[in-house]
Amino acid sequence: MTRGTLRIYLGAAPGVGKTYAMLGEGRRAQERGRDVVVGFVEAHGRARTAELLDGMEVLPRRTMIHRGATFTELDVDGVLARKPKLVLIDELAHTNVPGSANPKRWQDIEEILEAGIEVVTTVNIQHLESLNDVVEQITGVPQRERVPDEVVRRADQIELIDMSPEALRRRMAHGNVYPPERVDAALSNYFRVGNLIALRELALLWLAGKVDDQLDRYRADHGIEGTWEARERVVVALTGGTEGDTLVRRAARIAARSKGADLLAVHVTRSDGLANGGDPASLARQRALVESLGGTYHQVVGDDIPRSLLEFAKGVNATQLVLGASRRGRLAQLLSRGVGVTTTALSGPIDVHMVTHEQVSKGRRPVGSPAALTFRRRAWGWGLALVAVPLLTGALLPVHDHLSLPSEILLFLLMVVAVALVGGMWPALTAAVLGFGLLNWFFTPPLHTLTVADPENLLALVIFVLVAAMVSTVVDKAASRSREAARARADAEVLATLAGHVLRGEAALTSLLARLREVYGLTSVTLLERDGDSWRMVATAGGPPCTSPGVADTDVAVDEDLVLAVRGRLLDAADRQVLEAFAAEAAVALRQQRLREEAERAKPLAEADKMRTALLAAVSHDLRTPLASAKAAVESLRNTEIDWSPSDRSELLATADESLVKLDRLVANLLDMSRLQAGVLGVALVPVALEEVVPRAIDDLGTLRDRIEGDISVDLPEVEADPALLERVLVNLMANAVRYSPPEFPVLVTGSRLGDHIEIRVIDRGPGIPPEAHERVFMPFQRLGDRDNHTGVGLGLALSRGLTEAMGGTLTLEETPGGGLTMIVSLRSAR
C-alpha cells in the first residue's frame, strides 16, 4: 500500500492562522471533488475559523475519561474505517490522554499515513524538539508538548504561515486569538514583540534548513554537480600554516556581506594519514577561530589538493573559495602551477579569492620533524661505509681471478644496500662513491689506475653508482616514512587519549595536566598565568612545579597570558606539536572551570534577583487587595454622613478583620520565606500531638473550615516538630487543597504511622498535577497552568516544604486514586 502524503502548516506562534489555512485548503480540495473529512480541529472560539467548518464532514471524536474528567481525542479507528482521501488533523504535537493507543498525536497520524490516507496538519515552531530549550530561554515558558524534528522533516510539504509580530498582536487585541480576559496577560508575557520576532526568525531559519535539504536531495537525485547560488557559502582552505588566521578572518568578512551566508573551513590531509606539512597546533587554533566566528571546520582526505578542495566545495554547494597566495619561491612557481592557479583554472562557477599574506613567496617551511634514523643507526651506517667497504675489498682480492667485474659490482651494491638499511642515505652514498673508487682501482683493468680501458666497464661502474644512489634514497625514504608513520600513530594515540579525556567529561584542569605528565613521563606539568610582571601558578601536576617559563625544560605559549611549562626532559619538535594541542585544551578547560565558578557565584545572585522580581510582580496585587478592602471598610465606618445599621457595621468590621488576617498571613509567609532563604529561621522541636495541632490549623482557615474533614486517631504517637511551624504548614496545605478541590468533595486530613515516621496526608479531588510538574509547584511564586493570578502569590507550597524540611521532615506529592492530589508531610515520631 502506498503511504499517504503529509502536509504541514508551520507557524511561529499561536494565532498566526495555521488552522484557518488548513481548513481553507480542505474546503478548496472539497470543491475540486476530493473526499475530505475533518478528523480533529479546535476552533478555540474563533468565529471565522468555526465558519469554515460549516458544510464539511466532521468525524466524531473518541471520548475518554481520565481522573473523573471527560476528554475527547482523535478517533484513529474511525478515520481508518471511513478511509477518506484527505483528512484534516489539528495540533500535530498534541499529547493524548493517558490510556490512548498512542501517547502522541503525531503517532496517530503515522498510522493514518501508513493506511494510504493524505493528512494535512499544523504545528508551531516552539513544539519542535531541537528548539525546545531555545524557545524556553527566549520566552521563559517550557513546552511540554514536543514533536521530534524528524517527523516534521519527513513531511512531503511544509508551508510557513507567517505574520508580523505587530499584526499578530493586533489580532490578539481585537479578540481574534484569545478570549478578552486572557489578552492582556498574553500580550505582556509570551506575545511580547521581542519574543515574536525571535520565534519568527527561528521558524524561518528552521524552514530554510529544510529547504536546503530538499535542494541537496534534488541535485543529488538529478546528478547536478554544478553550483546553484541559492545561498552564499564561503569555503576557506587551510594548510596549517601561520597565514591561516588571516584567511579565516578574510573569509568571515566575505561571508558577513551576505545575510545568512555560511562559513566553512576545510583542510586536506593525505590519504596515507602522514603529515602534509601542516602544524596540528595551528590547525587546532584555526578551527577554534572558525567556530568562534560561527563557521564549521571540515577535514577531507585526498592526494590531489586542488581537486579535493573543489570536490568539497561543490559538494556543499559553495559559491566562493578563499585560498592563500602561494608561499613557494619563483623557481618553484615556474616549475609547477601550484594549488592556487590549478584550483582557479578548475573552479568553474565558484569564485576563487587569492588572499595575500605575510608568508607570500617566503617558501614552505614544513614543520620540523626528527631524523628518519636514530643517531646510533647513523653512526653504525657511517662505520659500515668507512670500514666494511674496505674489508669487502680485501676479501675479494684473493678471489679476484675467479670473479667477473659484474659479480664484484653486485657484491659492492649489496654492501651499499646494507649500509643504506642501517645508516640511511648519506652513509650509503658515501659507500657508493668509495666502492666506485675501490672497484676502479683494484678490479677494473688496467688495475691500480683510475682509468678504465673498456667503455663497458665504465658504464657498469656509473650504473653501479646511480643504482646505489637510487636504492639508498628509496631505503632512506622508506625508513623516514616508517618513522613518520610510527610518530603519527603515537601522536594519534596521545590525541585519542586527549579526546577521550574530553568525551568522558574529565574536564578538571589538574586531571588533564596529570594525563599529559603520564603520557610523556614528565616530572611536572604546570599551567602558568601572567600576573603583572610575574607568573602565577594556575594548576599543576607532579612536582616540583615550574614557577616561571624560564625554569622549564619546555614551555608552550597558549596566548599572551598563559604558558604551559613542563619539567623532566626536553621534548623534540614532533612532541611539541602534541604538547601545543594539550596546551590549547588546557586553556579551554581553564576557561570552562572559571565559567563554572562564575556561574556558581552568580547563581545565588540570580536566584535572589529572580526572587525579588517575582516577589514584586506577585505581591503587587495581593498586598493591595486586603489593604484596599480594610481601608474601604474603615473609611466607610468613619463616614459620619451615613448612619450604619448594627448589621452593616458588623459586616464592615468583619470585612476589615478578614482582610487584615489575610494581610497578616501574607506578610508572615513572606517573612518566613525570607528567613528560610537566609537560613536564620528559628526552629524549636518538641513532642507535638497531632490531635491538638490539626484542629487548630482547621480553625485558622476561617470560613473554609467547613470544607475540611479531619481523621486523626488519638492513638498516633507524638511527632518531633515546632507547633507553630507545623500549624502553618497544615494551614497552607489545606488552603491550597480547598482552592483546587470541587465544592462537592471535602478535603480529607488523615494521619498514619510508617516505621519511625508519622505521615499527615491532605487529600483533595481536584484536577491534580502532572508528574513532571511535581517539583515545579514547590518553587516560590509558581502556579500550575493558566489559573487566576489573583488568588495568592504562590508561596504556600514552597514555604510549606521549606518549613517541613527545617523541622527534619519531608513534603511530597502523589496522585489521589480516582483523581486529585495528596500532600504528604512526613515527620519523625517522638517515641
Side-chain angles (χ1 to χ4, degrees):
M1 180 180 294
T2 304
R3 176 182 168 91
T5 58
L6 176 63
R7 182 173 179 178
I8 296 177
Y9 285 96
L10 175 68
V16 295
K18 304 179 303 301
T19 305
Y20 189 87
M22 179 182 70
L23 291 174
E25 173 63 24
R27 292 188 71 90
R28 289 190 294 273
Q30 190 178 50
E31 292 169 358
R32 292 193 298 269
R34 299 198 66 191
D35 183 14
V36 182
V37 300
V38 176
F40 191 101
V41 167
E42 287 287 359
H44 297 292
R46 300 164 191 168
R48 295 186 61 190
T49 302
E51 290 174 1
L52 290 178
L53 289 170
D54 293 341
M56 300 189 72
E57 180 182 352
V58 181
L59 297 181
R61 300 183 183 184
R62 183 162 48 89
T63 302
M64 299 189 66
I65 298 177
H66 178 64
R67 293 182 177 178
T70 302
F71 300 89
T72 60
E73 293 287 1
L74 171 67
D75 187 359
V76 179
D77 294 334
V79 174
L80 297 178
R82 171 65 173 76
K83 200 170 178 59
K85 291 294 184 182
L86 172 64
V87 59
L88 310 180
I89 302 174
D90 209 1
E91 299 177 359
L92 175 67
H94 172 74
T95 301
N96 292 330
V97 173
S100 302
N102 297 309
K104 294 288 188 178
R105 182 165 293 168
W106 64 264
Q107 295 169 324
D108 294 339
I109 291 177
E110 285 293 321
E111 287 190 27
I112 296 172
L113 292 171
E114 291 298 330
I117 301 173
E118 181 180 349
V119 176
V120 179
T121 186
T122 65
V123 70
N124 282 327
I125 195 68
Q126 69 263 27
H127 295 300
L128 295 184
E129 185 69 51
S130 65
L131 300 176
N132 183 258
D133 56 339
V134 179
V135 173
E136 181 176 357
Q137 181 182 3
I138 293 171
T139 64
V141 179
Q143 299 293 330
R144 291 191 300 163
E145 294 187 331
R146 300 189 288 271
V147 59
D149 289 48
E150 185 57 30
V151 173
V152 183
R153 289 189 182 277
R154 285 201 305 264
D156 300 276
Q157 185 176 347
I158 300 177
E159 184 172 339
L160 178 66
I161 306 301
D162 191 27
M163 180 177 289
S164 69
E166 294 77 13
L168 179 55
R169 285 171 61 86
R170 283 196 300 271
R171 286 198 66 201
M172 295 197 65
H174 295 157
N176 296 329
V177 179
Y178 288 156
E181 63 271 13
R182 295 181 59 191
V183 169
D184 289 340
L187 289 176
S188 60
N189 291 286
Y190 191 88
F191 288 86
R192 294 194 299 268
V193 173
N195 288 358
L196 296 178
I197 292 173
L199 292 173
R200 190 185 189 195
E201 183 176 11
L202 282 178
L204 292 170
L205 290 175
W206 190 92
L207 190 61
K210 166 70 175 176
V211 173
D212 276 345
D213 294 340
Q214 291 177 329
L215 180 60
D216 292 342
R217 187 163 55 249
Y218 179 86
R219 294 174 69 240
D221 292 342
H222 292 78
I224 300 173
E225 297 182 357
T227 299
W228 285 9
E229 299 185 16
R231 175 194 279 186
E232 288 289 346
R233 285 185 174 87
V234 182
V235 174
V236 54
L238 301 177
T239 63
T242 56
E243 75 281 358
D245 294 8
T246 302
L247 301 183
V248 169
R249 292 188 176 93
R250 176 63 172 166
R253 290 196 296 273
I254 294 174
R257 295 171 184 168
S258 301
K259 183 68 174 177
D262 294 330
L263 173 64
L264 302 92
V266 60
H267 172 67
V268 180
T269 187
R270 284 175 19 180
S271 58
D272 56 13
L274 299 180
N276 204 19
D279 184 357
S282 295
L283 284 174
R285 186 183 66 254
Q286 290 157 13
R287 175 174 186 168
L289 177 60
V290 169
E291 293 173 349
S292 69
L293 294 172
T296 57
Y297 177 86
H298 307 268
Q299 185 164 310
V300 297
V301 177
D303 294 320
D304 189 337
I305 295 178
R307 293 190 181 277
S308 299
L309 284 176
L310 291 173
E311 287 175 2
F312 173 81
K314 292 176 181 178
V316 298
N317 203 24
T319 57
Q320 303 188 61
L321 180 60
V322 178
L323 302 175
S326 178
R327 292 178 295 177
R328 302 181 306 152
R330 293 182 179 179
L331 179 60
Q333 294 183 39
L334 290 174
L335 296 177
S336 67
R337 297 196 299 175
V339 173
V341 177
T342 305
T343 303
T344 303
L346 301 175
S347 63
I350 301 177
D351 296 335
V352 179
H353 301 263
M354 298 294 294
V355 179
T356 186
H357 50 85
E358 59 185 10
Q359 300 297 324
V360 171
S361 300
K362 290 186 177 180
R364 295 187 60 89
R365 294 191 294 176
V367 178
S369 60
L373 302 174
T374 63
F375 174 79
R376 184 176 181 181
R377 286 188 58 179
R378 294 198 303 273
W380 275 100
W382 284 108
L384 286 175
L386 299 176
V387 176
V389 174
L391 289 176
L392 176 63
T393 303
L396 291 177
L397 285 175
V399 296
H400 169 62
D401 295 336
H402 303 286
L403 294 174
S404 63
L405 181 62
S407 298
E408 293 166 339
I409 291 176
L410 288 176
L411 290 174
F412 271 87
L413 182 60
L414 179 62
M415 178 59 67
V416 171
V417 172
V419 172
L421 289 173
V422 174
M425 180 175 64
W426 292 110
L429 290 177
T430 301
V433 173
L434 181 60
F436 172 83
L438 293 174
L439 280 169
N440 187 8
W441 185 268
F442 290 104
F443 303 105
T444 304
L447 301 179
H448 307 302
T449 65
L450 295 179
T451 59
V452 179
D454 190 346
E456 291 185 1
N457 291 339
L458 178 62
L459 178 62
L461 290 174
V462 172
I463 292 176
F464 158 72
V465 174
L466 292 177
V467 170
M470 288 187 292
V471 169
S472 61
T473 302
V474 170
V475 170
D476 186 75
K477 284 186 175 293
S480 176
R481 290 297 188 191
S482 176
R483 184 174 180 83
E484 190 176 350
R487 168 61 65 182
R489 178 179 179 182
D491 290 347
E493 291 176 353
V494 173
L495 294 175
T497 301
L498 175 62
H501 176 278
V502 176
L503 293 175
R504 287 191 297 271
E506 301 174 13
L509 184 56
T510 54
S511 172
L512 181 66
L513 300 183
R515 187 63 57 88
L516 175 59
R517 188 182 72 86
E518 177 184 343
V519 167
Y520 285 105
L522 301 169
T523 303
S524 68
V525 180
T526 307
L527 185 63
L528 299 172
E529 185 175 29
R530 190 183 300 276
D531 186 8
D533 296 332
S534 60
W535 292 91
R536 180 173 60 87
M537 186 173 63
V538 176
T540 187
C546 299
T547 56
S548 67
V551 300
D553 292 322
T554 303
D555 63 272
V556 173
V558 182
D559 53 35
E560 294 181 357
D561 297 322
L562 281 178
V563 171
L564 185 66
V566 302
R567 175 179 285 173
R569 65 184 179 90
L570 292 173
L571 298 180
D572 56 31
D575 289 336
R576 185 181 177 88
Q577 295 175 18
V578 180
L579 187 65
E580 289 176 347
F582 267 92
E585 181 60 30
V588 172
L590 176 62
R591 285 193 292 269
Q592 291 176 344
Q593 176 179 308
R594 289 180 172 173
L595 286 174
R596 285 193 299 269
E597 292 173 353
E598 290 179 5
E600 288 299 322
R601 288 194 299 268
K603 188 175 181 180
L605 297 176
E607 290 294 332
D609 184 66
K610 183 179 179 181
M611 179 76 72
R612 286 191 296 269
T613 303
L615 176 60
L616 291 174
V619 305
S620 60
H621 176 273
D622 295 275
L623 284 175
R624 286 200 305 265
T625 301
L627 280 174
S629 299
K631 182 180 178 181
V634 172
E635 287 181 349
S636 299
L637 289 171
R638 293 183 59 189
N639 191 340
T640 58
E641 297 179 359
I642 301 177
D643 186 15
W644 299 104
S645 65
S647 60
D648 291 337
R649 184 178 298 275
S650 176
E651 184 177 351
L652 289 172
L653 288 173
T655 299
D657 180 67
E658 182 180 351
S659 299
L660 291 174
V661 168
K662 288 181 179 178
L663 183 60
D664 179 69
R665 185 177 300 160
L666 173 62
V667 172
N669 281 345
L670 291 172
L671 291 175
D672 284 343
M673 179 57 70
S674 65
R675 293 190 185 102
L676 278 173
Q677 295 285 337
V680 294
L681 180 68
V683 180
L685 299 181
V686 297
V688 178
L690 294 183
E691 65 271 18
E692 297 177 1
V693 175
V694 173
R696 289 202 304 268
I698 294 175
D699 289 339
D700 287 345
L701 291 174
T703 58
L704 300 178
R705 69 171 67 91
D706 296 334
R707 297 186 56 189
I708 304 294
E709 287 187 4
D711 185 15
I712 303 296
S713 173
V714 296
D715 297 329
L716 281 176
E718 297 176 327
V719 297
E720 291 185 0
D722 185 306
L725 297 185
L726 178 57
E727 184 177 337
R728 177 73 59 80
V729 169
L730 295 177
V731 168
N732 285 335
L733 295 182
M734 289 187 291
N736 184 79
V738 169
R739 182 179 300 118
Y740 294 105
S741 190
E744 63 272 18
F745 293 106
V747 173
L748 182 62
V749 182
T750 67
S752 61
R753 182 168 187 168
L754 182 62
D756 59 349
H757 282 70
I758 304 298
E759 290 187 344
I760 308 169
R761 294 174 176 262
V762 180
I763 306 167
D764 69 55
R765 293 288 182 176
I769 298 176
E772 62 269 19
H774 278 187
E775 288 302 315
R776 184 158 55 90
V777 298
F778 288 112
M779 296 176 62
F781 314 109
Q782 294 290 323
R783 255 185 220 94
L784 185 67
D786 296 328
R787 296 188 176 274
D788 180 15
N789 285 331
H790 304 310
T791 57
V793 294
L795 277 177
L797 294 183
L799 179 61
S800 297
R801 169 171 277 190
L803 295 178
T804 303
E805 292 176 349
M807 293 185 291
T810 59
L811 174 58
T812 56
L813 307 181
E814 70 176 26
E815 297 180 7
T816 302
L821 189 68
T822 298
M823 300 278 187
I824 305 172
V825 178
S826 178
L827 296 169
R828 288 189 299 271
S829 173
R831 65 175 189 270

